[in-house]
Amino acid sequence: MTSPTDEHRADEHRADQHRADQLSELAQRVLSFEHDRARHDRTKEAEIRVEFEMSAARYYQVLNRVIDSPAALAYDPQLVTRLQRLRHTRTSARATRSFVAPGAAPEGREEER
C-alpha cells in the first residue's frame, strides 16, 4: 500500500520529468557543455564558437535564459543552482563596484591644492 506522501512524490517526479522533456535540444547541449567545462577562459570561448557556432556573448545570453527555466532546473538541479549562484555573485560584485571618472581622485583621497 502506498502512502499519500509517496504518491505525491511520484507525481512531483513525473512533473519534473515532463518539464525536463520540454527542454530544447540547444538548452540540453548548453547545460551539458557547462557541466563538462566549468572554467571560463579563452579555450572555452573557442570551443563555444566551434560547438555552437555563435559568439561567446550570445552563448552566455542563451545560458542565462536557460538557467532561469524550470525545465533546466528539473533537468540538472545541481548544475543550474550552481550557475544561478555564480551569476548572482557576479551581479552583486558589479553592483558594489565604485566607478571613478578618468582623471578624478578616488573618493576620500582628494588631492590638496
Side-chain angles (χ1 to χ4, degrees):
M1 182 171 172
T2 61
S3 72
T5 304
D6 291 339
E7 289 176 16
H8 180 71
R9 285 186 188 136
D11 289 343
E12 284 181 348
H13 177 72
R14 282 190 293 275
D16 287 346
Q17 187 61 42
H18 179 68
R19 283 193 296 270
D21 291 343
Q22 292 177 345
L23 201 58
S24 72
E25 180 186 341
L26 175 61
Q28 290 178 19
R29 288 178 49 219
V30 165
L31 290 174
S32 178
F33 184 83
E34 282 300 312
H35 189 270
D36 295 341
R37 296 163 194 84
R39 292 188 36 208
H40 177 84
D41 57 15
R42 291 187 195 277
T43 58
K44 183 176 178 182
E45 290 185 10
E47 290 174 8
I48 288 168
R49 287 190 183 279
V50 171
E51 178 78 20
F52 297 98
E53 298 178 351
M54 63 178 73
S55 69
R58 177 69 182 133
Y59 170 83
Y60 287 108
Q61 288 173 342
V62 170
L63 174 63
N64 281 313
R65 191 173 60 245
V66 168
I67 65 174
D68 285 336
S69 77
L73 191 59
Y75 182 78
D76 193 338
Q78 187 175 12
L79 174 66
V80 171
T81 54
R82 180 176 63 82
L83 294 172
Q84 289 172 338
R85 189 176 58 250
L86 289 170
R87 179 180 61 186
H88 177 73
T89 301
R90 283 190 306 271
T91 303
S92 296
R94 270 195 307 272
T96 60
R97 284 187 207 146
S98 64
F99 293 96
V100 178
E107 205 173 299
R109 300 186 73 197
E110 293 183 28
E111 295 181 21
E112 304 214 6
R113 295 182 189 205

